[in-house]
Amino acid sequence: MAKENSCLTRVATGAVIGGAIGGAVGSVYGTYEALRFKVPGFLKIRHIGQRTVSSAALFVGKFGKQMVKM
């Protein structure tokens, strides 16, 4: 039985929230960047995916650490 406010629970919650926000931001920015730089064909999907994953990973790290400090 884990406590509701344990450190691991807060870090996991921060990681989930960070992943969701980072994924959304990354997909919007990746789409904008792919259209702006006129990435050809199916490379757009790859470009958007790379931006989404990298942004989500960045936000998971940031939100996970922030939740520990709370």
Side-chain angles (χ1 to χ4, degrees):
M1 297 279 209
K3 284 197 252 178
E4 203 170 302
N5 199 17
S6 71
C7 182
L8 184 60
T9 305
R10 290 189 312 208
V11 170
T13 302
V16 170
I17 291 170
I21 292 173
V25 169
S27 63
V28 170
Y29 181 69
T31 303
Y32 165 74
E33 198 175 41
L35 293 174
R36 180 176 179 217
F37 294 120
K38 298 179 180 155
V39 177
F42 282 112
L43 289 177
K44 282 183 184 134
I45 296 171
R46 179 180 177 188
H47 185 81
I48 293 168
Q50 286 176 341
R51 294 294 171 249
T52 301
V53 170
S54 65
S55 180
L58 178 74
F59 275 78
V60 163
K62 291 210 178 269
F63 273 84
K65 283 192 262 182
Q66 288 296 326
M67 293 300 278
V68 172
K69 294 179 183 179
M70 291 181 89

